[in-house]
Amino acid sequence: MNPRKKNAPNILLVTADQLRWDYVRAYQREGFMETPTLDALAAEGCLCERAYSPNPVCIPARHNLITGLPARFHGFDDNYFGETAKPCPWDLPTFAQILSDCGYATAAIGKMHFQPERRATGFDLFENSDEVVYDIAEDEYAQFLRGKGYGHVGSFHGVRNALYMQPQQSLLPEELHGSAWVADRSIRYIKSQATRQRPFLLWTGFIHPHPPFDIPEGWAHLYDGKIPPHTSSKTPLSKLAEENKCIADLPDEENINRMRELYASAVSFMDYNLGRILKTLEEEGLKDNTLVVFVSDHGEMLGDLDTYQKFLPYEASCHIPMLLRWPGHIAAGSRRTDFTDLNDLLPTFLDAAGTTYPGREVLPGESLLTEAPKKDRSVQYVEHQHGSKRWCCLVGQRYKYVYSYGDRDQLFDLQEDPEEQVDLLWGEPAADILPIRDEMKEKLLAYEERWGLPGYVENGQFAQYPPYEIQTYQETCFPFYIQDPGDPERTPLAEEILKAIEKEPSVHLENLHIREMLTQLGRMSDEDVDELLEKARKQGN
């Protein structure tokens, strides 16, 4: 067994999916959010002001987190599903494996989204709640709902197809919602470990505020009229940002604003359930010897700059919240203004446990607890994708430079233009802008050559790729997990759609691309869609 220090702390890692940094009140200039748990966590520990996702999309970000290494090593430069799914290399140690090897009890509860989830990742206990369930035997939350008499509900994480980012309310009661279940199971685990003699590592993974925004009824109107309007770009966006515009299928301002309200509600409901977990830590006498880290895998554009989702180098997509608390070791109310990212968490956990990294690679991250820092935290490197779709960027103290292999490069002044509405390289750049670009480009090349995918820097320059062609798409992922014989008959999809939106008057199905989405793969006939639209009109949708 690898050594660990005496009285090594418990470690509680909490991840929210798709939570942008500025939808936590402690980060906000204008405090419209209600996140009392996260605000208290910041007050009792450290708030990292400039934390970033090193690759702002679910699977790559989570592989960086669990291995401490970028896609150059683990291979996930983007999400890979279905036929393109692949495993993380078996010989890359994960923080769960390392801590397990030095005597930690390890558990993962909720959304994890790394591959493979149950094999060789280092968790003694794995209770899954994935956003898309392929097999009920592999998803403990789906099994739980079946046991509670809700096996007939197909869209138990919200109606994903046709209504992916549309305003909607949960088909489940609040106490059975996915966010509540993750908290309940985490609380049960903490209580089970409270009297044990060895420390535990618990990764609690909330799906929210990732869409669908299936909000319990009691939380659905928390932000009515309180969310500021979305921003718009004053210069043309990147091709990937243009590509993302159609994902949401939000036809008007009322619809967009309501979506933003429900996103905020999802954050607050997650915050409430996190509060229940942290209260249990305190009640069980574990608060003082538990390192708590709260972080998101990436953000959400949420209509800002007139685009949606993640994948993008803009702040709403890649700037994330990161909070740490460990009484007696992390100063209460402290704030870090240097750059931090998900790569720092594996070395932080190992440092807290008093153990070392056994892998052969040099880690790009560094413990956030170290008293002798060596990492250059004056800039932040971010990357995404491969081929003509690939981009990488460097965030500095004032400017952000983005290089796209199949598109033009961009430069933003985050001091004068924090919402990134003006690309300083668009049109005829000012004379004093080009030297800034050139300096940042040179630094970015060094990061891309060292940490980016192999082969993208040739002879000291970015490799050349053909222009990227926009490929628009909309979310059409249907409920399709395998049911066991004897399970109750599934509620028809049309009924779930109508139920989800019946209290959301901004949603009008006839204004959406619902026919194209629902007739794909033969899920509904044109006649079925006609009937659905007529019923929706009658109920005000």
Side-chain angles (χ1 to χ4, degrees), residues 456-492:
Y456 281 80
V457 175
E458 297 177 346
N459 301 318
Q461 299 297 322
F462 290 109
Q464 296 300 302
Y465 281 82
Y468 178 68
E469 299 295 331
I470 294 177
Q471 302 174 40
T472 59
Y473 75 97
Q474 291 170 321
E475 181 61 55
T476 56
C477 185
F478 291 87
F480 56 101
Y481 68 77
I482 301 170
Q483 287 187 290
D484 289 343
D487 275 357
E489 184 177 353
R490 185 75 53 78
T491 301

Side-chain angles (χ1 to χ4, degrees), residues 122-399:
F123 293 104
D124 306 325
L125 174 71
F126 197 102
E127 295 190 331
N128 197 23
S129 175
D130 207 346
E131 61 188 271
V132 179
V133 180
Y134 296 89
D135 188 342
I136 194 171
E138 297 180 358
D139 197 275
E140 280 73 16
Y141 177 56
Q143 296 170 31
F144 164 80
L145 291 177
R146 182 175 61 183
K148 289 292 184 179
Y150 284 83
H152 61 284
V153 179
S155 304
F156 47 79
H157 288 306
V159 180
R160 189 181 176 100
N161 58 85
L163 301 179
Y164 183 49
M165 293 190 70
Q166 287 295 318
Q168 59 181 285
Q169 295 187 26
S170 178
L171 301 176
L172 300 169
E174 178 179 324
E175 64 273 14
L176 300 183
H177 190 280
S179 292
W181 180 85
V182 167
D184 290 342
R185 291 301 173 107
S186 297
I187 288 168
R188 185 176 72 171
Y189 181 79
I190 290 169
K191 289 182 176 180
S192 77
Q193 298 296 314
T195 59
R196 303 286 179 90
Q197 297 303 306
R198 61 175 178 157
F200 67 81
L201 159 73
L202 170 60
W203 182 347
T204 292
F206 290 99
I207 293 177
H208 269 182
H210 190 291
F213 308 128
D214 57 320
I215 311 304
E217 184 175 5
W219 294 79
H221 297 285
L222 188 61
Y223 291 97
D224 287 7
K226 298 179 181 179
I227 306 299
H230 66 91
T231 62
S232 295
S233 181
K234 297 176 182 178
T235 53
L237 296 173
S238 68
K239 292 180 180 179
L240 288 183
E242 289 291 335
E243 182 174 284
N244 277 14
K245 284 184 177 182
C246 72
I247 296 177
D249 202 25
L250 295 160
D252 54 50
E253 291 298 312
E254 179 188 12
N255 206 216
I256 295 171
N257 291 335
R258 181 60 181 151
M259 177 273 297
R260 288 163 65 88
E261 291 172 356
L262 290 175
Y263 175 88
S265 293
V267 176
S268 289
F269 186 53
M270 179 278 300
D271 180 272
Y272 163 75
N273 282 290
L274 173 58
R276 297 169 53 219
I277 297 172
L278 297 185
K279 181 180 179 182
T280 301
L281 271 183
E282 188 165 7
E283 291 173 344
E284 298 296 326
L286 300 171
K287 177 180 178 179
D288 289 345
N289 198 35
T290 300
L291 167 62
V292 178
V293 175
F294 175 87
V295 73
S296 175
D297 52 357
H298 53 77
E300 160 62 60
M301 292 306 300
L302 208 64
D304 283 329
L305 303 181
D306 300 311
T307 191
Y308 302 91
Q309 287 286 290
K310 50 268 191 175
F311 320 118
L312 303 174
Y314 308 127
E315 291 292 280
S317 170
C318 61
H319 191 170
I320 58 174
M322 182 182 287
L323 307 170
L324 300 90
R325 185 188 75 186
W326 186 11
H329 299 266
I330 295 174
S334 56
R335 300 176 79 96
R336 295 188 67 133
T337 58
D338 53 359
F339 288 102
T340 60
D341 62 38
L342 298 179
N343 296 327
D344 295 320
L345 295 187
L346 181 146
T348 298
F349 297 155
L350 303 194
D351 188 10
T355 193
T356 57
Y357 180 66
R360 64 179 181 272
E361 308 295 350
V362 175
L363 298 174
E366 182 180 64
S367 170
L368 299 173
L369 305 173
T370 184
E371 296 180 356
K374 297 179 181 179
K375 178 180 177 179
D376 180 3
R377 296 189 181 275
S378 65
V379 293
Q380 178 64 48
Y381 167 72
V382 186
E383 62 170 326
H384 178 62
Q385 260 284 351
H386 58 274
S388 296
K389 200 171 184 178
R390 180 170 178 78
W391 58 261
C392 56
C393 81
L394 196 72
V395 189
Q397 298 302 309
R398 177 171 178 177
Y399 294 96

Side-chain angles (χ1 to χ4, degrees), residues 31-184:
F32 61 83
M33 284 299 298
E34 295 184 25
T35 50
T37 302
L38 293 175
D39 300 342
L41 200 60
E44 295 171 357
C46 177
L47 180 148
C48 299
E49 292 185 0
R50 306 197 77 178
Y52 280 79
S53 174
N55 190 331
V57 63
C58 296
I59 291 179
R62 290 162 186 269
H63 280 84
N64 277 50
L65 196 166
I66 198 168
T67 67
L69 291 165
R72 181 185 189 94
F73 303 95
H74 58 63
F76 292 89
D77 56 273
D78 194 8
N79 284 342
Y80 289 87
F81 299 110
E83 294 180 357
T84 66
K86 55 185 177 180
C88 184
W90 63 270
D91 57 344
L92 290 186
T94 69
F95 66 72
Q97 289 172 333
I98 301 166
L99 293 178
S100 178
D101 287 347
C102 68
Y104 270 73
T106 58
I109 297 173
K111 179 179 177 180
M112 294 297 113
H113 227 38
F114 45 78
Q115 297 171 359
E117 292 186 313
R118 295 178 185 274
R119 178 175 60 80
T121 47
F123 293 104
D124 306 325
L125 174 71
F126 197 102
E127 295 190 331
N128 197 23
S129 175
D130 207 346
E131 61 188 271
V132 179
V133 180
Y134 296 89
D135 188 342
I136 194 171
E138 297 180 358
D139 197 275
E140 280 73 16
Y141 177 56
Q143 296 170 31
F144 164 80
L145 291 177
R146 182 175 61 183
K148 289 292 184 179
Y150 284 83
H152 61 284
V153 179
S155 304
F156 47 79
H157 288 306
V159 180
R160 189 181 176 100
N161 58 85
L163 301 179
Y164 183 49
M165 293 190 70
Q166 287 295 318
Q168 59 181 285
Q169 295 187 26
S170 178
L171 301 176
L172 300 169
E174 178 179 324
E175 64 273 14
L176 300 183
H177 190 280
S179 292
W181 180 85
V182 167
D184 290 342

Side-chain angles (χ1 to χ4, degrees), residues 408-427:
R408 57 188 172 82
D409 50 358
Q410 299 174 289
L411 183 70
F412 299 97
D413 184 341
L414 298 180
Q415 177 177 298
E416 298 299 322
D417 178 29
E419 294 175 331
E420 299 169 295
Q421 293 178 290
V422 177
D423 172 14
L424 297 174
L425 298 180
W426 175 252

